[in-house]
């Protein structure tokens, strides 16, 4: 089937048609739990689709989203049943679009929610929490959540090869979890990614394509590959299932706060998916009676060198104008964000804001979080902390309101971004005199000058 609108062309490949029968057969064999997810629904116009590897509405070209039977979930699920579940995202499996009782569980999720003392003090606010997905399993970013869901669903569809278009962290996650599940894997990244992200993909031995171009060009290429090969692209034809995994960052925070919602959240934005799905997660917990309804402000963070959503917010637009990325925050450098318009709605409807910060502020943010909380985050986390600081300084965070800052990735993967900004070790001779001299000087010098203390 081919649809054409405004020069764009959308194919429903033959393999998708073939999957319809196959999927029903597979589900009949493996499904032991009554499915709580019912269909795919277009975000514009509401056209409904079968639960297939499809991501775009054939009529409006809007993204498709998974719909659930919330009454069924309400009957099956309680706070106690969730608490008795696995110590991973799969404790929320009734809210996830996977039919089998044996999803791919590598321990993803249930990362720490840390009550901040020193960073809160520094920023002049009282009730701050850090959700630290920089220590997520297996690859130290929030992407392990979305990939665990996408590959579980890919296996139900019968895909033997999975793939992704990645800004770095998704490459690591897809390659690692595909290895665990025994699936063939092909990963596409922009050629200029950080060494840690490349190495952290290659170690799992996928096919790794480094594309000469930015993420948006990589993504376009992958859409073509998805249409011509019968592969499961986690963030293209599996995107409706994949993106649901981000809801678990909302669920966990609500559970970890003692079954209540925070007053305010700050999250980074790349495509805008994570941000809007945290919102969906909170809504679903309210709809199923697990938490009380409450208004939560949603604030978002972008790097100035790639801030199409923040720009649109500032200018009061309800559409996003694509940008050409130029920032050290590569993991969130998406110039043409798929969920940008929905992120704008979320910020405006909740009384939040979307801000951008410079690369220098991002590095300061990384250092600030490390020095106050002992958490080494990557550039995306530095972006979140820099925006949090900006909001606190502008009085946009009520000192008493509970605020959650989402830290989505680990600093060891983007070490080159802070190289040159964190000083050097003090090189000394192996004797006490040399040590005492260096110690004396280190007390009078800014640490950036330490490298001069060569004795
Ligand atoms: C991918 C990514 C994000 C944001 O993802 P979207 O859902 O596309 O907005 C944020 N932080 C890190 C570290 C990421 O890798």
């Amino acid at each position: 089937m081919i649809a054409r609108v405004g020069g764009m062309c959308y194919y429903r490949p033959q393999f998708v048609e073939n999957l319809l029968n196959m999927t029903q057969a597979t589900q009949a064999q493996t499904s032991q739990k009554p499915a709580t997810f019912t269909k795919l629904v277009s975000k514009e116009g509401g056209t409904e689709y079968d639960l297939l590897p499809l991501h775009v509405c054939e009529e409006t070209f809007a993204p498709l989203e998974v719909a659930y039977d919330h009454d069924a979930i309400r009957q099956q699920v309680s706070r106690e049943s969730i608490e008795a579940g696995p110590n991973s995202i799969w404790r929320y499996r009734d809210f996830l679009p996977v039919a089998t009782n044996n999803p791919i569980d590598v321990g993803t999720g249930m990362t720490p929610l840390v009550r901040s003392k020193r960073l809160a003090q520094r920023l002049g606010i009282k009730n701050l929490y850090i959700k630290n997905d920089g220590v997520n399993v297996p690859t130290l970013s929030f992407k392990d959540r979305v990939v665990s869901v996408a590959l579980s669903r890919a296996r139900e569809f019968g895909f033997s090869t999975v793939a992704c278009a990645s800004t770095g962290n998704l490459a690591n996650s897809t390659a690692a979890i595909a290895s665990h599940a025994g699936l063939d894997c092909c990963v596409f990244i922009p050629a200029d990614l950080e060494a840690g992200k490349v190495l952290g993909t290659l170690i799992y031995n996928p096919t790794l394509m480094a594309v000469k171009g930015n993420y948006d060009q990589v993504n376009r290429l992958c859409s073509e590959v998805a249409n011509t090969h019968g592969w499961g692209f986690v963030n293209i034809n599996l995107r409706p299932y994949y993106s649901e995994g981000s809801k678990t960052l909302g669920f966990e925070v609500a559970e970890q706060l003692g079954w209540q919602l925070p007053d305010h959240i700050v999250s980074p934005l790349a495509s805008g998916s994570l941000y809007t799905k945290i919102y969906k997660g909170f809504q679903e917990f309210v709809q199923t009676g697990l938490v009380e309804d409450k208004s939560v402000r949603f604030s978002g963070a972008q790097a100035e060198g790639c801030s199409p959503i923040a720009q649109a917010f500032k200018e009061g637009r309800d559409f996003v104008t694509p940008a050409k990325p130029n920032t050290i925050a590569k993991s969130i450098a998406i110039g043409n964000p798929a969920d940008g318009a929905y992120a704008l709605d979320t910020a405006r409807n909740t009384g939040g804001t979307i801000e951008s910060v410079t690369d220098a502020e991002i590095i300061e943010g990384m250092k600030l979080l490390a020095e106050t909380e002992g958490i080494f985050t990557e550039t995306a986390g530095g972006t979140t902390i820099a925006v949090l600081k900006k909001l606190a300084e502008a009085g946009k965070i009520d000192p008493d309101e509970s605020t959650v800052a989402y830290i989505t990735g680990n600093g060891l993967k983007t070490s080159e971004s802070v190289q040159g900004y964190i000083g050097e070790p003090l090189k000394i001779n192996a004797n006490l005199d040399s040590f005492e001299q260096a110690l004396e000087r280190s007390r009078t010098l800014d640490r950036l000058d330490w490298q001069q203390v060569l004795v």
Side-chain angles (χ1 to χ4, degrees):
M1 161 162 208
I2 301 176
R4 230 173 237 289
V5 168
M8 280 174 61
C9 189
Y10 174 70
Y11 298 87
R12 181 194 271 199
Q14 186 57 42
F15 80 90
V16 171
E17 311 280 356
N18 297 344
L19 269 171
L20 184 55
N21 297 328
M22 200 173 88
T23 304
Q24 284 164 348
T26 320
Q27 281 187 1
Q29 284 163 19
T30 58
S31 171
Q32 295 136 50
K33 86 179 175 79
T36 47
F37 60 117
T38 52
K39 56 197 173 227
L40 296 176
V41 181
S42 169
K43 291 188 83 160
E44 309 286 341
T47 307
E48 296 181 0
Y49 294 84
D50 291 323
L51 291 161
L52 291 169
L54 294 171
H55 68 298
V56 182
C57 175
E58 289 171 4
E59 289 158 16
T60 61
F61 297 99
L64 302 180
E65 184 158 50
V66 178
Y68 296 82
D69 179 348
H70 286 120
D71 290 335
I73 298 179
R74 191 189 258 271
Q75 275 166 19
Q76 282 170 38
V77 177
S78 63
R79 292 177 181 177
E80 294 71 27
S81 74
I82 290 173
E83 285 164 359
N87 193 38
S88 72
I89 57 168
W90 297 110
R91 69 207 278 112
Y92 309 111
R93 70 170 193 205
D94 295 285
F95 294 89
L96 296 171
V98 172
T100 169
N101 252 347
N102 304 304
I104 301 168
D105 189 353
V106 288
T108 298
M110 293 309 280
T111 54
L113 180 73
V114 183
R115 176 77 193 254
S116 159
K117 287 208 187 78
R118 301 191 65 234
L119 178 60
Q121 212 167 36
R122 190 77 80 85
L123 299 178
I125 54 182
K126 290 193 197 121
N127 239 330
L128 176 65
Y129 295 84
I130 309 290
K131 179 60 173 170
N132 186 8
D133 251 25
V135 294
N136 206 356
V137 170
T139 68
L140 310 177
S141 90
F142 103 85
K143 290 297 196 304
D144 293 329
R145 299 173 184 274
V146 280
V147 172
S148 290
V149 174
L151 296 197
S152 296
R153 189 68 185 142
R155 210 164 56 174
E156 292 178 352
F157 282 133
F159 285 111
S160 54
T161 301
V162 292
C164 67
S166 173
T167 56
N169 285 315
L170 186 58
N172 297 171
S173 277
T174 305
I177 301 177
S179 283
H180 177 90
L183 294 162
D184 287 336
C185 181
C186 186
V187 169
F188 297 75
I189 54 172
D192 69 345
L193 280 195
E194 300 94 342
K197 300 258 166 91
V198 176
L199 185 142
T201 303
L202 282 175
I203 189 66
Y204 306 107
N205 200 21
T207 304
L208 178 60
M209 301 283 176
V211 180
K212 292 179 203 156
N214 62 35
Y215 172 78
D216 300 286
Q217 293 167 305
V218 174
N219 197 37
R220 218 164 312 143
L221 168 64
C222 286
S223 293
E224 292 176 43
V225 178
N227 283 339
T228 51
H229 290 64
W231 293 354
F233 272 83
V234 299
N235 56 340
I236 301 179
N237 50 3
L238 295 169
R239 189 172 176 85
Y241 309 97
Y242 153 97
S243 59
E244 289 289 289
S246 291
K247 293 189 306 191
T248 60
L249 266 175
F251 299 150
E252 277 175 29
V253 161
E255 184 181 346
Q256 289 170 322
L257 287 173
W259 298 102
Q260 55 180 338
L261 303 183
D263 296 309
H264 194 172
I265 70 107
V266 184
S267 134
L269 299 163
S271 70
S273 175
L274 164 68
Y275 177 82
T276 51
K277 292 291 178 167
I278 294 171
Y279 181 82
K280 188 180 181 191
F282 286 168
Q283 290 297 104
E284 287 186 341
F285 261 22
V286 171
Q287 278 160 19
T288 52
L290 290 167
V291 298
E292 265 179 46
D293 199 2
K294 176 174 174 183
S295 60
V296 184
R297 284 201 290 149
F298 273 66
S299 291
Q302 293 211 293
E304 207 160 287
C306 186
S307 51
I309 309 176
Q311 281 299 330
F313 185 85
K314 199 159 49 177
E315 291 164 19
R317 282 186 273 119
D318 59 4
F319 61 93
V320 172
T321 310
K324 208 165 165 216
N326 179 20
T327 170
I328 57 168
K330 294 177 195 284
S331 62
I332 51 171
I334 296 185
N336 192 8
D339 293 299
Y342 305 110
L344 288 168
D345 283 348
T346 303
R348 290 186 179 126
N349 294 340
T350 63
T353 179
I354 301 175
E355 288 275 354
S356 62
V357 286
T358 63
D359 283 359
E361 290 173 306
I362 292 170
I363 291 168
E364 284 310 309
M366 292 168 75
K367 290 172 66 172
L368 181 61
L369 184 65
E371 290 171 15
T372 55
E373 297 294 338
I375 294 173
F376 182 18
T377 185
E378 67 150 81
T379 45
T383 308
T384 300
I385 297 300
V387 165
L388 177 72
K389 179 165 179 270
K390 209 167 164 175
L391 296 180
E393 284 169 357
K396 288 184 182 163
I397 293 181
D398 182 337
D400 288 314
E401 72 181 6
S402 58
T403 303
V404 175
Y406 282 96
I407 296 304
T408 47
N410 191 294
L412 287 170
K413 293 203 220 177
T414 63
S415 55
E416 52 269 69
S417 66
V418 288
Q419 201 79 54
Y421 297 96
I422 50 173
E424 296 280 331
L426 290 101
K427 290 207 183 88
I428 62 171
N429 296 323
N431 63 58
L432 203 52
D433 267 0
S434 180
F435 161 73
E436 294 292 358
Q437 261 180 50
L439 187 64
E440 189 54 37
R441 290 218 45 203
S442 79
R443 287 182 171 144
T444 57
L445 284 173
D446 185 78
R447 265 208 311 163
L448 283 180
D449 297 325
W450 279 10
Q451 58 264 43
Q452 293 160 21
V453 190
L454 296 173
V455 184

